């Protein structure tokens, strides 16, 4: 399977973003001690990153939607460098909050424009595969980068995590300069760009994205308290659990890439969402035992990243001039739903006083998303079959016209025998033969 240089450059970027987003989690207590803040206050560093994601998307829509995609991605890479470098040198709570906000700004920009770049540069039929390979950088960060960062933080200092990400951002800048071609954007009037948003279909897709993402994070956000209070797993084994979950994310993403050749994006997304529903509902009943608890956590992580690449491709599929706007809204749906899902999971825990209760809203949201995407898949399959019939008919008609170009054959239907060499799809579709367009 070919791995083009531009995909490698984009994968470096998603690795940086994956490490920056979750790399702070294992060392949050150390950061709180060094900056003299409480754990809840330090938790705002995670929220600041999410706020930065939304801020970056707003900036892209207001100022950058008509700019060259390569330029926007280079700006995003510079923000990754500045934000993580700032975090590594932060000496106060305010400085860290600001650095984390800047670190989050390129996240949505990079994923949205990276997906558009993959779609534009892909060979025919390979767009979903290329987007999936780009996302592989993020899952690699979850599998390798976050555990490596945790080791660096515990062995030396949490500041080395952000220094490492900033160093990789320098590599990213050079990779984008040399491996990504210029991708100018055709300037369009705003009414034309938002024309697809007047139809229901993009909003149905975005709704499915939001429901699925919210469901996953309603459960996954509370993996640590579930393992501690329900499974009664020793604290020292949590690192291993996170490695297993990160590995499931990595292999889920890796597994879906070759399948994009054989199955539609709708089918892959529906299957991945079904896995998440099964995992969360089973976790609700079987998390008291260590091995089922870890297995279902890993299955949910596998399903979420199995559908990540096809989902990105599906969001921008058929959006024509609105690709950048739709891709940006897709990132808002992802990240906004993450926050809402985590809040719903927390509310369920408060009501029941049991951490595994977060699986209830996770299952409900996930089931709604799965039903929605199964419906989308069914509709898309019907349209695809109809389109194939039409395509085959037109191919037969075209070949018949070519064969009869220099002949003077009459129509095969007696009452139209005086008509010459003119054929149509309706006649072929109804009579299963080639006839004239007048009938």
């Amino acid at each position: 399977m070919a791995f083009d240089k531009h995909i490698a450059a984009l994968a470096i970027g998603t690795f940086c973003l994956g490490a920056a987003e979750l790399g702070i989690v294992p060392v949050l207590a150390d950061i709180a001690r060094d900056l003299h803040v409480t754990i809840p206050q330090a938790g705002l560093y995670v929220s600041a990153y999410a706020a930065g994601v939304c801020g970056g998307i707003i900036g892209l829509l207001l100022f950058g939607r008509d700019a060259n995609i390569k330029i926007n991605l280079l700006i995003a890479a510079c923000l990754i460098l500045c934000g993580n470098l700032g975090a590594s040198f932060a000496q106060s709570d305010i400085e860290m909050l600001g650095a984390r906000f800047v670190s989050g700004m390129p996240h949505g920009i990079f994923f949205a424009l990276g997906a558009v770049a993959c779609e534009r540069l892909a060979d025919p039929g390979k767009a979903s595969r290329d987007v999936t390979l780009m996302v592989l950088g993020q899952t690699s960060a979850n599998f390798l980068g976050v555990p490596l960062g945790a080791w660096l933080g515990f062995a030396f200092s949490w500041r080395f995590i952000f220094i490492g990400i900033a160093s990789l951002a320098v590599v990213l800048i050079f990779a984008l300069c040399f491996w990504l071609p210029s991708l100018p954007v055709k300037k369009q009037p705003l009414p034309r760009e938002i024309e697809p948003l007047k139809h229901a279909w993009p909003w149905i897709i975005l709704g499915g994205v939001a429901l699925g993402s919210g469901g996953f994070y309603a459960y996954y956000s509370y993996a640590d308290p579930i393992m501690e209070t329900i499974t009664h797993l020793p604290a020292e084994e949590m690192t291993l659990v996170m490695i297993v979950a990160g590995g499931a994310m990595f292999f889920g993403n890796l597994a879906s890439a070759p399948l994009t050749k054989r199955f539609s994006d709708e089918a892959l997304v529906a299957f991945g969402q079904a896995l998440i529903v099964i995992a969360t509902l089973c976790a609700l009943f079987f998390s008291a035992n260590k091995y089922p608890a870890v297995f279902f956590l890993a299955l949910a992580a596998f399903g979420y990243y199995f559908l990540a690449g096809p989902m990105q491709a599906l969001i921008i599929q058929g959006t024509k001039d609105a690709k950048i706007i739709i891709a940006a809204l897709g990132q808002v749906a992802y990240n906004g739903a993450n926050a809402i899902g985590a809040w719903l999971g927390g509310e369920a825990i408060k009501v029941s006083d049991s951490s595994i209760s977060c699986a209830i809203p996770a299952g409900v949201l996930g089931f709604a998303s799965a039903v929605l995407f199964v419906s989308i898949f069914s509709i898309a399959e019907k349209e695809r079959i109809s389109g194939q019939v039409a395509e085959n008919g037109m191919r037969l008609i075209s070949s018949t016209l070519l064969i009869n170009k220099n002949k003077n054959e009459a129509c095969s239907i007696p009452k139209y025998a005086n008509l010459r060499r003119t054929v149509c799809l309706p006649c072929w579709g109804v009579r299963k033969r080639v006839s004239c367009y007048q009938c």
Side-chain angles (χ1 to χ4, degrees), residues 124-166:
K126 299 291 182 65
S128 297
R129 185 210 65 169
D130 289 357
V131 174
T132 301
L133 292 174
M134 177 192 77
V135 177
L136 193 63
Q138 184 185 28
T139 55
S140 299
N142 295 335
F143 184 33
L144 300 172
V146 173
L148 178 61
W151 177 81
L152 281 173
F154 293 136
F156 301 101
S157 169
W158 57 267
R159 298 181 186 276
F160 280 92
I161 298 173
F162 299 108
I163 290 173
I165 298 170

Side-chain angles (χ1 to χ4, degrees), residues 85-223:
L85 202 59
S88 68
F89 290 107
Q91 299 296 324
S92 68
D93 182 45
I94 296 297
E95 290 177 6
M96 179 58 86
L97 285 170
R100 289 294 290 171
F101 182 87
V102 174
S103 298
M105 287 180 68
H107 190 107
I109 297 173
F110 201 95
F111 274 94
L113 297 184
V116 175
C118 285
E119 194 260 354
R120 285 183 56 175
L121 296 173
D123 294 330
K126 299 291 182 65
S128 297
R129 185 210 65 169
D130 289 357
V131 174
T132 301
L133 292 174
M134 177 192 77
V135 177
L136 193 63
Q138 184 185 28
T139 55
S140 299
N142 295 335
F143 184 33
L144 300 172
V146 173
L148 178 61
W151 177 81
L152 281 173
F154 293 136
F156 301 101
S157 169
W158 57 267
R159 298 181 186 276
F160 280 92
I161 298 173
F162 299 108
I163 290 173
I165 298 170
S167 301
L168 194 57
V170 175
V171 176
L172 170 63
I173 291 170
F174 281 101
L176 290 173
C177 286
F178 292 106
W179 290 349
L180 185 70
S182 177
L183 293 168
V185 175
K186 185 179 179 181
K187 293 184 178 181
Q188 300 284 353
L190 185 59
R192 183 172 178 179
E193 286 193 56
I194 64 174
E195 178 65 29
L197 297 178
K198 296 178 182 178
H199 305 288
W201 194 251
W203 296 108
I204 293 172
I205 299 291
L206 293 173
V209 171
L211 288 170
S213 188
F216 174 74
Y217 278 96
Y219 167 60
Y220 193 79
S221 299
Y222 300 95

Side-chain angles (χ1 to χ4, degrees), residues 316-347:
I316 61 173
Q317 193 178 86
T319 53
K320 297 182 181 179
D321 298 322
K323 279 186 171 57
I324 291 178
I325 290 179
I326 297 290
L329 290 175
Q331 289 301 311
V332 172
Y334 267 118
N335 292 281
N338 294 354
I340 294 171
W343 174 75
L344 287 173
E347 290 300 303

Side-chain angles (χ1 to χ4, degrees), residues 242-262:
M242 289 296 103
I243 292 174
V244 171
M249 294 176 182
F250 177 82
F251 288 109
N253 191 218
L254 199 63
S256 69
L259 294 177
T260 57
K261 298 178 183 178
R262 299 183 57 189

